[in-house]
């Protein structure tokens, strides 16, 4: 069995290596079982340590598994390293590319027993190759496109000479300025610029005459006398190293600036809400990394918000909830719907606390995912209250023992396990002899104290897998799983009787307390739960007829 030895080595592989590392065991040269994957591998693939011990075919769909196994088999056959390229989709639907090197590990007989997979992320390189190809493709079309660029551009384009006179303009000049382009011929371009932007505009124009591209935000006055916000670009036209003219390009951004202003106001309102909220507000990017957290993180989880920025959202979520969390996020993005989930979140000093997460995906106008907004609420107190209510529902309020309802559930579960494993069980039904006299003569308060002490004494006679419950009044029952021997069960009953012989002193009252017990033992035939209890009840009846302070087994 392959093992990663040494705490330092394991730490380096798990946390120190940023590339994904997988190690698989070779099974009969035909199958491959995962024995190790580091932190980077888990974060980039969404896999968890649960895959350890599973084969590639157990983890992946058939088509994907066949693809991987084909490459792993090449290593086994050639006994040499194999490198191949692969692509995958991230948890949030983004394409990633990688170069994988598979290296064999040999035993003393030079047999390949394990294969180490080192995954090198080449996404940026691939994107660069795609962009370069796109550039050359566009360059081949540039001559044809240039012919229509000027005439059909949505931005206003003026050709002006070195003195600033307008020579011509395209059709979009009318859309931006309200003037027909030919009506502006021979006029100076500066006449369109609002007074407060004239100096800045002339400075940019003079730099363009010197051969430098310029890009500024200004405003012009259109034909109707209205102010139009524009991005103005000055691009020099250079022939044989000399600037012979200038392209002045105006892009109307009035509407965009209004939207930006609204967005900024909206963002400001969001921050006011977020920074004053008692709930945790988190924003995730398209890769699932945290780009914003509210200050309330410090109050609720004990961490400074800076400790979260740039980390994956699930990094502080309990392992048993991570898969469900990612599934909720992916389905939310796919269906464009909000989601809600209760998880254990790590507190800096208190350990794991229960939180409720509510997430909403945000999309742009083209329905492209932008980010996820998550609101986290501390429900630890609510969970504790729910657990308390559940405890009350299944436990006796006086003795704190399981009640009749919980005992029947435990009996049903134990009976099913015994059937499956061909084991036996025993049930002891008991009550306190002459308990009514104690209540009548000493009062119910003393009677209650006797019940509490009785439950403690019986509990002390039992092992961890044995259960005592109070059915009501002075009636108790004990469940003994995996018991088939009458002698063994009788020994437990006698130990309970012996515990009753010790002195009873409650509120300065001394008692002699005994108990009668009826025992049902189940070997290889498995009746119903009610039949088992009925058998124990008949045995208890026989014990009482025998004079009490004894037990009978059926």
């Amino acid at each position: 069995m392959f093992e990663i030895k040494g705490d330092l080595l394991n730490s380096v592989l798990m946390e120190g290596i940023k590339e994904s590392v997988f190690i698989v065991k070779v099974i009969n040269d035909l199958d491959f079982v995962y024995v190790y994957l580091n932190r980077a591998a888990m974060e980039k693939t969404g896999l968890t340590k649960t895959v350890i011990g599973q084969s590639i075919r157990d983890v992946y769909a058939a088509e994907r598994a066949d693809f991987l196994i084909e490459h792993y088999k090449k290593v086994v056959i050639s006994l040499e390293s194999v490198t191949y390229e692969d692509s995958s989709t991230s948890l949030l639907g983004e394409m990633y590319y990688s170069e994988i090197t598979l290296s064999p590990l040999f035993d003393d007989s030079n047999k390949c027993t394990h294969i180490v997979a080192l995954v090198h992320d080449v996404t940026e390189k691939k994107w660069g190759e795609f962009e370069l190809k796109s550039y050359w493709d566009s360059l081949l079309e540039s001559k044809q496109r240039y012919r229509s660029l000027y005439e059909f551009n949505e931005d206003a384009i003026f050709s002006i000479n070195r003195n600033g006179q307008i020579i011509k303009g395209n059709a979009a000049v009318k859309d931006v300025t309200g003037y027909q382009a030919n009506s502006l011929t021979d006029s100076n371009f500066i006449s369109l610029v609002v007074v407060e932007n004239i100096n800045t505009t002339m400075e940019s124009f003079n730099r363009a005459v010197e051969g430098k591209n310029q890009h500024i935000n200004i405003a012009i006055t259109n034909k109707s006398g209205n102010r139009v916000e524009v991005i103005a670009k000055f691009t020099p036209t250079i022939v044989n190293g000399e600037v012979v003219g200038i392209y002045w390009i105006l892009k109307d951004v009035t509407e965009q600036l209004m939207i930006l202003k609204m967005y900024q106001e909206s963002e400001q309102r969001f921050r006011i809400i977020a920074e004053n909220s008692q709930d945790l507000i988190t924003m995730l990017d398209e890769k699932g990394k945290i780009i914003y957290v509210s200050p309330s993180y410090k109050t609720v989880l004990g961490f400074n918000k800076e400790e979260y920025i740039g980390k994956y959202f699930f990094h502080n979520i309990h392992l048993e909830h991570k898969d469900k969390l990612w599934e909720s996020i992916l389905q939310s993005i796919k269906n464009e719907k909000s989601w809600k989930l209760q998880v254990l979140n790590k507190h800096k000093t208190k350990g794991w606390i229960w939180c409720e997460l509510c997430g909403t995906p945000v999309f742009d106008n083209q329905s492209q995912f932008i980010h996820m907004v998550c609101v986290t609420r501390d429900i630890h107190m609510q969970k504790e209250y729910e657990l308390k209510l559940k405890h009350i529902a299944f436990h006796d309020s006086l003795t704190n023992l399981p009640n009749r309802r919980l005992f029947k559930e435990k009996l049903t579960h134990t009976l099913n396990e015994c059937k499956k494993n061909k084991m036996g069980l025993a049930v002891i039904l008991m009550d306190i002899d002459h308990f009514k006299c104690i209540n009548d003569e000493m009062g119910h308060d003393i009677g209650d104290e006797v019940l509490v002490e009785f439950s403690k004494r019986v509990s002390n006679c039992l092992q961890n897998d044995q259960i005592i419950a109070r059915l009501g009044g002075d009636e108790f029952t004990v469940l003994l799983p995996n018991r088939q021997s009458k002698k063994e069960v009788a020994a437990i009953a006698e130990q309970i009787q012996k515990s009753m012989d010790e002195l009873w002193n409650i509120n300065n009252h001394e008692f002699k307390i005994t108990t009668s017990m009826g025992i049902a033992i189940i070997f290889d035939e498995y009746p119903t739960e009610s039949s088992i209890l009925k058998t124990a009840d008949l045995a208890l009846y026989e014990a009482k007829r025998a004079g009490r302070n004894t037990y009978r087994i059926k």
Side-chain angles (χ1 to χ4, degrees):
M1 184 65 177
F2 182 85
E3 294 182 353
I4 302 296
K5 295 183 178 179
D7 293 342
L8 178 59
L9 175 59
N10 187 47
S11 177
V12 170
L13 288 174
M14 178 60 73
E15 307 292 348
I17 296 179
K18 300 307 179 184
E19 301 291 342
S20 298
V21 177
F22 299 84
I23 301 177
V24 300
K25 183 178 181 181
V26 180
I27 307 296
N28 298 327
D29 296 342
L30 297 174
D31 202 2
F32 306 88
V33 174
Y34 285 105
V35 297
Y36 183 82
L37 66 165
N38 69 349
R39 182 74 61 195
M42 288 187 280
E43 290 183 349
K44 292 179 180 178
T45 65
L47 298 177
T48 65
K49 289 184 179 179
T50 58
V51 304
I52 292 176
Q54 298 186 48
S55 69
I56 290 177
R57 294 194 185 279
D58 293 332
V59 175
Y60 295 100
E63 183 176 353
R64 178 65 178 168
D66 289 341
F67 171 80
L68 295 174
I69 290 173
E70 178 184 355
H71 292 286
Y72 279 83
K73 282 184 178 179
K74 289 179 181 178
V75 177
V76 176
I77 294 170
S78 66
L79 300 181
E80 294 180 350
S81 296
V82 171
T83 300
Y84 67 98
E85 290 189 353
D86 196 6
S87 62
S88 61
T89 304
S90 73
L91 292 172
L92 294 179
E94 194 170 20
M95 185 64 74
Y96 286 88
Y97 300 89
S98 55
E99 183 180 86
I100 298 93
T101 300
L102 305 179
S103 301
L105 298 177
F106 303 99
D107 61 12
D108 294 337
S109 61
N110 204 35
K111 179 181 179 181
C112 177
T113 60
H114 295 80
I115 297 175
V116 179
L118 180 63
V119 183
H120 179 58
D121 190 344
V122 295
T123 301
E124 292 186 1
K125 175 184 173 183
K126 279 292 182 183
W127 287 351
E129 291 174 0
F130 295 155
E131 289 175 1
L132 183 60
K133 183 179 184 301
S134 176
Y135 169 78
W136 285 110
D137 290 343
S138 64
L139 188 62
L140 295 175
E141 301 175 9
S142 62
K143 289 185 178 180
Q144 296 179 6
R145 293 170 56 201
Y146 180 75
R147 293 190 184 100
S148 60
L149 178 62
Y150 187 87
E151 287 83 359
F152 300 107
N153 200 303
E154 293 181 355
D155 298 333
I157 303 178
F158 294 91
S159 293
I160 57 181
N161 61 24
R162 291 170 59 94
N163 296 322
Q165 288 179 309
I166 297 173
I167 300 172
K168 64 177 181 177
N170 67 351
V173 166
K174 186 176 187 303
D175 297 330
V176 177
T177 69
Y179 296 99
Q180 293 288 348
N182 56 13
S183 69
L184 296 174
T185 302
D186 296 331
S187 63
N188 196 292
F189 80 94
I190 204 68
S191 63
L192 292 171
V193 180
V194 298
V195 174
E196 63 266 28
N197 292 149
I198 287 178
N199 290 339
T200 302
T201 305
M202 285 305 301
E203 288 176 4
S204 295
F205 172 74
N206 291 332
R207 292 194 187 98
V209 172
E210 295 172 359
K212 301 174 183 176
N213 288 313
Q214 298 295 301
H215 182 167
I216 58 174
N217 294 329
I218 61 172
I220 64 170
T221 303
N222 66 11
K223 187 177 181 179
S224 301
N226 296 322
R227 182 186 178 97
V228 180
E229 302 290 338
V230 297
I231 296 174
K233 297 180 181 179
F234 291 98
T235 303
T237 303
I238 302 175
V239 178
N240 296 325
E242 182 181 352
V243 177
V244 297
I246 306 292
Y247 281 117
W248 189 39
I249 305 171
L250 302 180
K251 183 178 186 64
D252 185 353
V253 293
T254 305
E255 184 177 354
Q256 288 90 328
L257 289 177
M258 290 178 61
I259 294 173
L260 177 61
K261 183 180 179 182
M262 292 173 61
Y263 171 78
Q264 289 173 337
E265 292 174 351
S266 175
E267 183 180 32
Q268 184 179 11
R269 287 195 295 270
F270 169 79
R271 288 191 176 274
I272 291 173
I273 294 171
E275 291 176 7
N276 290 278
S277 173
Q278 295 304 307
D279 295 334
L280 309 182
I281 299 177
T282 314
M283 290 180 64
L284 314 178
D285 65 12
E286 69 282 359
K287 297 179 181 179
K289 289 188 175 181
I290 297 171
I291 56 177
Y292 171 82
V293 296
S294 59
S296 49
Y297 262 83
K298 180 67 175 176
T299 304
V300 177
L301 295 180
F303 293 96
N304 293 321
K305 60 181 183 179
E306 290 78 15
E307 297 180 69
Y308 276 78
I309 301 298
K311 294 184 179 179
Y312 287 97
F313 185 49
F314 62 75
H315 83 282
N316 255 9
I317 302 297
H318 197 279
L319 180 62
E320 67 178 278
H321 297 143
K322 286 185 179 181
D323 291 343
K324 184 64 175 178
L325 172 60
W326 277 118
E327 180 65 21
S328 298
I329 291 176
L330 291 175
Q331 290 300 318
S332 170
I333 296 171
K334 179 181 178 181
N335 301 322
E336 300 187 14
K337 292 183 178 179
S338 299
W339 55 274
K340 183 181 291 187
L341 186 66
Q342 291 185 357
V343 302
L344 283 169
N345 216 326
K346 190 173 184 180
H347 189 282
K348 191 167 186 176
T349 58
K350 299 178 182 178
W352 298 104
I353 66 171
W354 278 103
C355 292
E356 183 177 75
L357 309 182
C358 299
T360 301
V362 179
F363 301 87
D364 61 19
N365 293 333
Q366 285 74 44
S367 295
Q368 295 296 312
F369 176 78
I370 303 174
H371 54 247
M372 177 78 69
V373 178
C374 298
V375 178
T376 305
R377 177 167 296 173
D378 181 0
I379 59 168
H380 195 66
M381 296 297 293
Q382 175 186 329
K383 275 289 183 180
E384 286 187 350
Y385 182 67
E386 290 175 359
L387 291 173
K388 186 176 180 180
L389 289 179
K390 184 177 180 181
H391 183 85
I392 292 172
F394 287 94
H395 289 78
D396 174 53
S397 59
L398 176 63
T399 62
N400 204 34
L401 293 178
N403 59 15
R404 181 185 295 271
R405 179 180 175 186
L406 181 55
F407 177 79
K408 286 188 175 181
E409 287 189 9
K410 295 287 187 181
L411 178 58
T412 300
H413 174 75
T414 303
L415 187 59
N416 291 334
E417 289 293 312
C418 289
K419 289 178 183 178
K420 183 170 66 175
N421 300 319
K422 306 299 182 183
M423 298 293 291
L425 65 87
V427 172
I428 302 176
L429 191 63
M430 65 180 75
D431 60 17
I432 300 174
D433 294 332
H434 306 296
F435 179 71
K436 184 177 184 301
C437 295
I438 296 174
N439 273 337
D440 292 343
E441 295 175 10
M442 302 295 181
H444 287 278
D445 289 342
I446 297 295
D448 288 346
E449 293 291 337
V450 170
L451 291 172
V452 171
E453 178 64 21
F454 181 85
S455 67
K456 289 179 180 178
R457 295 195 182 197
V458 176
S459 296
N460 290 337
C461 298
L462 304 179
Q463 299 176 6
N464 291 336
D465 64 335
Q466 300 166 351
I467 301 168
I468 176 176
R470 183 189 178 198
L471 302 184
D474 66 323
E475 189 175 27
F476 294 79
T477 186
V478 172
L479 175 60
L480 305 174
N482 302 326
R483 296 294 185 276
Q484 294 180 327
S485 166
K486 285 187 177 182
K487 183 177 180 182
E488 184 180 10
V489 175
I492 295 173
E494 289 168 4
Q495 187 176 358
I496 293 173
Q497 283 185 319
K498 185 177 179 181
S499 72
M500 301 299 154
D501 292 336
E502 297 177 9
L503 180 64
W504 287 69
N505 191 322
I506 297 175
N507 292 349
N508 297 320
H509 295 283
E510 293 187 358
F511 298 93
K512 171 65 177 178
I513 299 294
T514 61
T515 179
S516 300
M517 290 176 275
I519 304 172
I521 299 180
I522 309 302
F523 290 101
D524 50 6
E525 294 183 2
Y526 300 99
T528 63
E529 293 85 347
S530 58
S531 296
I532 295 172
L533 291 173
K534 185 175 181 180
T535 299
D537 190 48
L538 290 173
L540 175 61
Y541 177 74
E542 292 182 4
K544 288 183 176 182
R545 288 189 62 187
R548 292 184 169 83
N549 191 23
T550 187
Y551 62 87
R552 289 292 183 267
I553 299 177
K554 281 191 171 289

